[in-house]
Amino acid sequence: MSKWVDRMVGEGYGERMSGIRVATVQDANAIARVHVESWRTTYAGIVPEAYLASLEVEQREGSWREWLGLDVDVFVAEVDGEVVGFVGGGAIREPVEGFDGELFAIYLLREAQRRGIGMALLKRLAGSLKKRRLGSMVAWVLEDNSSGGFYSRSGGVRVASKEMEVGGVMLPVVAYGWNDLRTIGAGVARGSA
């Protein structure tokens, strides 16, 4: 029942095809694996190592099974049938003035990054949120996360900041905002996300 929403040749994957599709409960384990692996590579040196080491795919899988049953939009990116990334979002959870949608999470395995897959996921989520009659979106990101450039290249601008507890420590987070979902990724060269 996998319906391809977008197809592209994944740069760096040779001629192997990748696609983006709606996530199902059957994807919970694959999403959990990407979630844990990407946290360990993306947040090393930012989030306490003990916290990263404590992350377990099985625990995240249970959380994702629940999450996929909620009224949220979740999409996975596949290369040769393997889930290499995901994105999730919906109505904003914590008010940020002028925004009605929220990017809850976007993660890719390290080898899937900088090949256009992240931008394709972001655009797919934006299209889905527009169908929900949402017109704008924010994403809360750890300030020291090196992916801040991805959000900027896709048209996001810093609109708010706060602190968030992760692994027993308070860390600064910033909100990137897109005032108009239709502009996400406009003018971005392929291979930059």
Side-chain angles (χ1 to χ4, degrees):
M1 189 161 158
S2 296
K3 179 179 178 186
W4 293 108
V5 182
D6 188 19
R7 284 193 180 267
M8 70 197 110
V9 175
E11 183 181 306
Y13 286 100
E15 293 301 312
R16 297 185 293 175
M17 293 300 293
S18 65
I20 296 174
R21 64 174 172 80
V22 174
T24 68
V25 174
Q26 289 76 25
D27 294 311
N29 181 267
I31 292 171
R33 181 183 56 81
V34 170
H35 200 168
V36 169
E37 286 183 31
S38 61
W39 263 69
R40 287 181 177 156
T41 57
T42 302
Y43 300 135
I46 300 171
V47 171
E49 290 301 318
Y51 179 77
L52 294 175
S54 74
L55 297 175
E56 297 179 3
V57 171
E58 296 76 19
Q59 179 186 15
R60 292 285 172 158
E61 180 179 357
S63 297
W64 275 105
R65 285 189 182 283
E66 290 178 28
W67 189 250
L68 289 166
L70 300 175
D71 186 29
V72 295
D73 297 343
V74 181
F75 301 93
V76 293
E78 293 182 315
V79 172
D80 285 349
E82 176 190 355
V83 172
V84 297
F86 69 91
V87 67
I92 197 164
R93 297 174 291 186
E94 177 184 329
V96 175
E97 189 174 339
F99 297 92
D100 55 5
E102 183 175 352
L103 166 63
F104 301 147
I106 182 168
Y107 292 104
L108 291 107
L109 296 176
R110 179 179 287 177
E111 59 271 17
Q113 296 174 8
R114 299 198 176 277
R115 289 164 172 64
I117 297 171
M119 192 63 66
L121 282 166
L122 191 62
K123 288 179 179 182
R124 181 62 182 96
L125 176 65
S128 184
L129 295 181
K130 286 188 290 189
K131 289 179 183 176
R132 288 176 168 253
R133 301 197 185 285
L134 299 171
S136 59
M137 179 174 72
V138 296
W140 287 100
V141 180
L142 288 173
E143 187 170 33
D144 292 337
N145 181 349
S146 63
S147 66
F150 165 75
Y151 298 104
S152 295
R153 285 189 305 278
S154 69
V157 295
R158 288 181 178 213
V159 295
S161 63
K162 65 180 182 179
E163 285 196 333
M164 178 176 77
E165 187 272 325
V166 179
V169 299
M170 296 303 289
L171 297 173
V173 293
V174 296
Y176 284 87
W178 297 264
N179 289 319
D180 185 345
L181 292 174
R182 296 173 298 183
T183 64
I184 289 181
V188 174
R190 185 155 189 260
S192 63

